[in-house]
């Protein structure tokens, strides 16, 4: 009977993981970025289909999407168009499944290069499967995870190149070029592999200079190297532009321009970090490091911690350890992390833009365990390793089992888990909890006609068969539109409201929870009172407006937006007592709601209490430095108290950015 080898077990485990991921892909939730990138991908496909005449994919002044290669998004959109597929996101998720399987395979193969052990490679795949934060998004994220695949694939071939030095084999150089091209097709940042290769190859030759000094003086060596490197550069650079219209428009200028732009990404998003609300361009320097520490499983960190000791342990036990390869892999992890911290890169939504560094870190961790295991001569050492591995893998495994399909929301137990992270860090930043809420509502409205559903996220992916008429509404402005049901994500509600549960709207039919923390709600309409109040306020009939606002607030007692509108009508009526009472009530629910401070500033200005107006205006800018509506009033208040320098500073700002705010 033929014995099953560890290599066979490696592929059996990969097949089992692939089967499980396939089932997950068939009913995976849609993340918020998918909707954006799918729309852009359709425009890209149209650009190709029209031979460049449809230029909508190049007109992205706010989203900057023309600067993304996003090849996997474009491939999915092309498949959907060619085969006229209705369920567009199923195509995307099946493509994500393919990315997941390949990422597992490449992770295993990279581990094999470092350890020469299929057992260690299996452990590496298991580590990746049980890494909820990065790998939990592999199905629905066709941007960050394919880039992570390309990065790991490129690292794999670069490691193989280093192991083959001083020979530069055509096969290795061409496959490295293909890997770089694939990575480059997602994001142009893959160009970093050219200096990577230069640094590591030169480092290797310096390390082995005495042995290969004669080779470096041979003309044939340099001629052969130049030819192969040129082929690698051309393949990796131009091959990555195939699915990228903006890159193809000017292949030499636009990719370099994009690389520069992406280092200083201009879009700024409000983020919750350590219990405070920041703009992403103003986050603390340690933002990335903190996220890595709290959201990577402890077992991975333990393996990294023991790696240097395990290398020494192996050395003294007579086992050869390739320190140059370990140092190279550490470089692939550390350099991007340190670089983005130094340049103060605009990161947000956790560390998803940096998922590509995870595979090198994970392989280093597994190598740490492997080295100790192989060098250990005492049974107790191996028992200790197993004692660390089993609970270390069980903790994230149990989390995944309990929380699928929103298992990417994960904080390790060293940080206190989700209980400690709730209300302090971005939670469901990809809005995956909206799937369960949407599925619930689809059953609720089954058989009903002429139903209008609104949401603070596009629900087209979930209601693509036309089950309801869809609309968009912000969470706080929900009462301003006419609708029957609303599906609302709670991700960007202020942490104070979440903590005190003052966010809950009237008419909740369903709340989606993740380990006891709300992700989304389904609510029924509170009626037309608020809309009538808004209409009367527009007509100047503020007495009637207040009456209708009161009727609405008897139901939806936490509707701070309607409270602000009521306060505005009370201010117009000269009802200062009622105005202040309404504002006080609103601030007790949401102490940082900007419209309340804007109203207080206006009230103080009308009373010619300019110092108080300045106080409220400055307080408003402390809460939200981009709340520009306050600037004209703040400028006029400064002028009224003879603080001309501050007034001129605001005028200069308004003129510089051509802002016409009344």
């Amino acid at each position: 009977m033929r014995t099953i080898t560890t290599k066979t077990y490696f592929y059996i485990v990969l097949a089992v993981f692939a089967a499980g991921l396939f089932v997950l892909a068939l009913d995976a939730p849609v993340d918020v970025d998918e909707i954006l990138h799918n729309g852009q991908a359709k425009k890209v496909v149209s650009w190709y289909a029209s031979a460049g005449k449809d230029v909508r994919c190049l007109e992205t002044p706010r989203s900057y999407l023309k600067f993304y290669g996003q090849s996997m998004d474009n491939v999915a959109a092309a498949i959907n168009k060619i085969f006229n597929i209705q369920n567009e996101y199923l195509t995307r998720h099946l493509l994500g499944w393919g990315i997941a399987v390949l990422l597992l395979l490449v992770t295993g193969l990279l581990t094999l290069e470092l350890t020469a052990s299929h057992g260690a490679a299996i452990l590496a795949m298991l580590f990746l499967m049980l890494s909820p934060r990065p790998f939990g998004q592999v199905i629905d994220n066709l941007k960050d995870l394919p880039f992570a695949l390309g990065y790991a694939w490129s690292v794999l071939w670069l490691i193989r190149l280093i192991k083959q030095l001083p020979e530069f084999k055509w096969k290795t150089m061409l496959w490295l070029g293909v890997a770089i091209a694939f990575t480059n097709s997602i994001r142009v940042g893959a160009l970093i592999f050219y200096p990577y290769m230069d640094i590591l190859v030169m480092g290797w030759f310096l390390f082995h200079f005495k042995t290969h000094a004669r080779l470096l003086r041979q003309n044939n060596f340099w001629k052969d190297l130049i030819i192969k490197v040129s082929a690698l550069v051309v393949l990796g650079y131009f091959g990555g532009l195939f699915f990228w219209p903006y890159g193809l428009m000017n292949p030499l200028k636009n990719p370099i321009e994009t690389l520069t732009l992406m280092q200083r990404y201009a879009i700024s998003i409000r983020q919750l970090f350590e219990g405070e609300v920041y703009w992403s361009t103003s986050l603390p320097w340690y933002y990335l490091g903190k996220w890595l520490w709290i959201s990577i499983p402890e077992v991975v960190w333990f393996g990294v911690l023991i790696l240097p000791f395990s290398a020494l342990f192996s050395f003294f036990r007579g086992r050869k350890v390739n320190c140059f390869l370990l140092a190279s892999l550490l470089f692939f992890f550390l350099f991007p992390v340190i670089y983005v911290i130094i340049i103060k890169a605009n990161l947000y939504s956790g560390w998803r833009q940096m998922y590509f560094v995870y595979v090198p870190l994970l392989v280093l961790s597994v190598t740490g365990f492997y080295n100790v295991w192989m060098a250990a001569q005492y049974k107790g050492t191996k028992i200790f390793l197993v004692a660390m591995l089993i609970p270390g893998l069980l903790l994230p495994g149990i989390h995944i089992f309990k929380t699928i399909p929103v298992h990417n929301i994960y904080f390790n137990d060293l940080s206190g888990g989700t209980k400690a992270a709730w209300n302090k860090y971005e939670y469901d930043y990809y809005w995956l909890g909206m799937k369960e809420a949407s599925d619930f509502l689809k059953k609720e409205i089954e058989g009903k006609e002429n139903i209008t559903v609104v949401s603070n996220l596009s629900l087209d992916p979930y209601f693509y068969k036309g089950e309801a008429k869809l609309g968009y509404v912000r969470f706080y402005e929900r009462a301003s539109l006419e609708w029957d049901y609303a599906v609302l994500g709670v991700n960007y509600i202020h942490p104070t409201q979440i903590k005190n549960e003052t966010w809950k709207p009237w008419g909740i039919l369903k709340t989606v929870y993740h380990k006891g923390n709300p992700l989304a709600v389904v609510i029924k309409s509170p009626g037309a009172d608020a809309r009538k109040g808004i209409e009367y306020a527009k007509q100047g009939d503020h007495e009637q407006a207040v009456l209708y606002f009161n009727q609405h607030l008897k139901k939806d007692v936490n509707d701070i937006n309607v409270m602000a509108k009521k306060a505005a009508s009370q201010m117009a009526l000269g009802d200062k007592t009622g105005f202040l009472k309404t504002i006080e009530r609103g601030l007790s629910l949401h102490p940082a709601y900007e419209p309340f401070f804007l109203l207080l500033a206006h009230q103080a200005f009308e009373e010619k209490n300019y110092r108080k107006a300045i106080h409220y205006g400055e307080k408003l800018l402390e809460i939200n430095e981009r709340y520009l509506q306050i600037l004209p009033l703040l400028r006029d208040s400064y002028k009224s108290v003879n603080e001309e320098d501050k007034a001129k500073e605001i005028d200069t700002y308004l003129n510089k950015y051509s802002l016409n705010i009344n």
Side-chain angles (χ1 to χ4, degrees):
M1 185 176 178
R2 189 177 178 181
T3 304
I4 299 177
T5 63
T6 53
K7 181 178 180 180
T8 304
Y9 280 121
F10 172 81
Y11 287 104
I12 290 173
V13 170
L14 178 63
V16 170
F17 287 164
L21 289 166
F22 183 77
V23 173
L24 184 63
L26 294 177
D27 196 34
V30 175
D31 75 52
V32 63
D33 271 7
E34 275 196 278
I35 300 168
L36 185 67
H37 284 274
N38 187 49
Q40 172 70 1
K42 290 179 181 179
K43 296 174 185 176
V44 170
V45 171
S46 183
W47 184 84
Y48 282 98
S50 66
K53 293 179 181 178
D54 185 349
V55 296
R56 290 175 300 158
C57 68
L58 301 173
E59 298 168 350
T60 59
R62 296 184 64 187
S63 66
Y64 289 79
L65 287 182
K66 74 175 183 180
F67 298 109
Y68 286 90
Q70 62 164 57
S71 60
M72 294 297 96
D73 298 272
N74 300 336
V75 167
I79 293 171
N80 286 330
K81 184 176 178 65
I82 292 169
F83 296 101
N84 194 27
I85 296 173
Q86 260 195 309
N87 191 350
E88 298 174 343
Y89 292 89
L90 178 58
T91 303
R92 293 176 57 87
H93 294 163
L94 290 176
L95 194 58
W97 167 76
I99 296 296
V101 176
L102 289 174
L103 186 55
L104 285 167
L105 174 62
V106 168
T107 300
L109 293 177
L110 183 56
T111 307
L112 195 60
E113 292 295 328
L114 268 291
T115 64
S117 166
H118 284 95
I122 292 171
L123 183 62
M125 291 195 298
L126 184 59
F127 269 34
L128 185 58
M129 278 287 291
L130 298 179
S131 297
R133 179 64 64 171
F135 204 67
Q137 293 177 23
V138 71
I139 298 297
D140 57 89
N141 187 336
L142 288 186
K143 177 177 54 178
D144 300 309
L145 273 304
F147 188 79
L149 168 62
Y151 191 84
W153 190 19
S154 301
V155 167
L156 171 65
W157 282 105
L158 196 45
I159 289 292
R160 286 176 173 173
L161 173 64
I162 292 169
K163 291 177 71 173
Q164 293 166 5
L165 291 177
E167 186 178 0
F168 291 85
K169 294 183 179 179
W170 266 114
K171 177 183 176 182
T172 304
M173 298 295 280
L174 291 176
W175 272 113
L176 178 56
V178 171
I180 292 173
F182 173 80
T183 316
N184 201 32
S185 75
I186 309 295
R187 287 191 187 128
V188 73
L191 296 178
I192 192 66
F193 273 99
Y194 296 132
Y196 272 3
M197 184 179 70
D198 291 343
I199 291 169
L200 294 176
V201 170
M202 285 190 295
W204 188 91
F205 275 104
L206 284 172
F207 194 70
H208 300 86
F209 184 75
K210 289 185 178 180
T211 308
H212 301 292
R214 179 180 295 180
L215 179 66
L216 295 174
R217 289 193 291 268
Q218 296 177 7
N219 291 334
N220 287 340
F221 170 80
W222 288 105
K223 181 181 178 181
D224 180 66
L225 178 60
I226 290 170
I227 292 172
K228 290 176 179 177
V229 169
S230 298
L232 164 67
V233 170
V234 170
L235 179 59
Y237 185 90
F238 291 99
L241 305 181
F242 185 77
F243 290 103
W244 184 23
Y246 186 69
L248 290 173
M249 297 293 289
N250 192 328
L252 296 179
K253 173 180 173 289
N254 289 351
I256 304 304
E257 174 197 328
T258 299
L259 187 62
T260 303
L261 176 76
M262 288 302 174
Q263 290 178 357
R264 301 286 184 183
Y265 196 53
I267 293 177
S268 192
I269 299 172
R270 297 186 85 174
Q271 294 287 288
L272 180 62
F273 181 67
E274 296 184 328
E276 300 291 332
V277 178
Y278 296 86
W279 287 100
S280 60
T281 47
S282 303
L283 283 160
W285 68 269
Y286 56 88
Y287 173 82
L288 174 59
K290 183 67 176 286
W291 263 103
L292 291 171
W293 175 249
I294 67 177
S295 62
I296 289 176
E298 297 92 329
V299 68
V300 175
W301 285 124
F302 182 76
V304 173
L305 181 66
I306 66 173
L307 177 62
F309 303 103
S310 72
L312 287 173
F313 189 51
S314 296
F315 176 78
F316 286 116
R317 290 295 184 189
R319 292 191 69 256
K320 185 178 179 181
V321 176
N322 194 324
C323 294
F324 190 83
L325 289 185
L326 290 177
S328 299
L329 208 58
L330 184 62
F331 175 77
F332 292 132
F333 166 71
L334 275 182
F335 176 78
V337 171
I338 294 172
Y339 181 71
V340 299
I341 291 173
I342 291 174
I343 68 168
K344 299 179 181 179
N346 182 8
L347 302 177
Y348 50 85
S349 302
W351 54 288
R352 65 173 184 78
Q353 296 99 332
M354 299 297 294
Y355 283 164
F356 65 92
V357 302
Y358 186 61
V359 170
L361 180 72
L362 185 151
V363 174
L364 286 171
S365 175
V366 171
T367 304
F369 280 106
Y370 174 77
N371 285 342
V372 174
W373 182 270
M374 294 304 295
Q377 293 184 347
Y378 301 104
K379 187 177 180 181
T381 305
K382 293 188 175 183
I383 292 174
F384 173 74
L385 282 184
V386 172
M388 294 301 299
L389 277 170
I390 291 177
L393 294 173
L394 277 177
L395 287 172
I398 292 170
H399 166 87
I400 292 170
F401 180 77
K402 287 184 175 181
T403 59
I404 281 180
V406 290
H407 51 291
N408 71 295
I409 307 172
Y410 169 79
F411 298 88
N412 62 40
D413 288 272
L414 279 176
S415 67
T418 54
K419 184 177 181 181
W422 175 246
N423 211 41
K424 291 182 181 178
Y425 299 93
E426 291 297 314
Y427 208 70
D428 186 17
Y429 53 75
Y430 261 159
W431 301 65
L432 302 184
M434 299 292 273
K435 173 178 169 49
E436 184 179 339
S438 297
D439 288 346
F440 169 85
L441 184 57
K442 282 165 71 174
K443 292 180 181 179
E444 187 76 12
I445 66 174
E446 191 173 355
K448 297 180 181 179
E449 296 182 355
N450 301 318
I451 299 296
T452 299
V453 178
V454 296
S455 178
N456 49 356
L457 174 77
S458 173
L459 296 180
D460 291 322
Y462 299 121
F463 291 83
Y464 68 92
K465 293 181 180 179
E467 295 93 335
K469 180 182 176 182
L470 302 177
Y472 177 83
V473 69
R474 293 184 176 90
F475 183 91
Y476 290 121
E477 298 171 6
R478 58 188 179 271
S480 61
L481 297 180
E482 182 178 358
W483 44 268
D484 299 297
Y485 299 93
V487 179
L488 301 170
V490 304
N491 192 47
Y492 288 109
I493 295 174
H494 195 274
T496 301
Q497 278 200 286
I498 293 289
K499 182 179 180 180
N500 298 325
E501 296 196 341
T502 58
W503 62 273
K504 291 186 175 180
W506 179 86
I508 294 178
L509 300 174
K510 166 78 173 178
T511 303
V512 177
Y513 290 100
H514 176 276
K515 292 194 168 182
N517 303 319
L519 303 181
V521 289
V522 179
I523 63 174
K524 59 183 178 181
S525 173
D529 289 328
R531 295 196 307 277
K532 290 179 180 178
I534 293 170
E535 190 59 37
Y536 276 116
K538 286 180 181 178
Q539 296 170 8
D541 190 345
H542 293 286
E543 287 188 4
Q544 282 293 106
V546 170
L547 288 175
Y548 278 107
F549 289 145
N550 283 334
Q551 284 296 111
H552 173 81
L553 290 170
K554 285 180 182 177
K555 278 186 174 180
D556 201 340
V557 296
N558 292 331
D559 194 333
I560 53 175
N561 182 259
V562 170
M563 286 181 198
K565 294 183 182 302
K566 175 186 170 183
S569 288
Q570 289 172 318
M571 185 170 69
L573 291 169
D575 180 10
K576 184 176 179 180
T577 301
F579 167 80
L580 293 175
K581 188 176 180 180
T582 301
I583 294 288
E584 183 182 5
R585 166 63 180 158
L587 289 174
S588 71
L589 300 174
H590 187 342
Y593 191 54
E594 294 102 327
F596 291 142
F597 291 94
L598 182 64
L599 287 168
L600 287 167
H602 274 289
Q603 174 71 12
F605 188 85
E606 287 185 8
E607 294 177 344
K608 298 185 179 180
N609 191 340
Y610 302 118
R611 287 294 177 189
K612 185 175 280 189
I614 290 170
H615 167 75
Y616 287 126
E618 291 179 344
K619 177 68 176 177
L620 178 50
L621 291 176
E622 283 179 19
I623 294 169
N624 182 358
E625 63 187 29
R626 303 190 180 196
Y627 203 89
L628 303 182
Q629 294 94 315
I630 191 63
L631 292 182
L633 184 142
L634 198 53
R635 174 198 57 200
D636 295 342
S637 297
Y638 284 135
K639 286 181 179 179
S640 298
V641 296
N642 298 317
E643 294 189 21
E644 293 293 339
D645 289 344
K646 291 184 177 179
K648 285 180 181 179
E649 192 177 320
I650 293 176
D651 269 330
T652 301
Y653 179 86
L654 294 173
N655 292 330
K656 180 180 178 181
Y657 294 101
S658 302
L659 298 173
N660 183 18
I661 303 169
N662 297 315

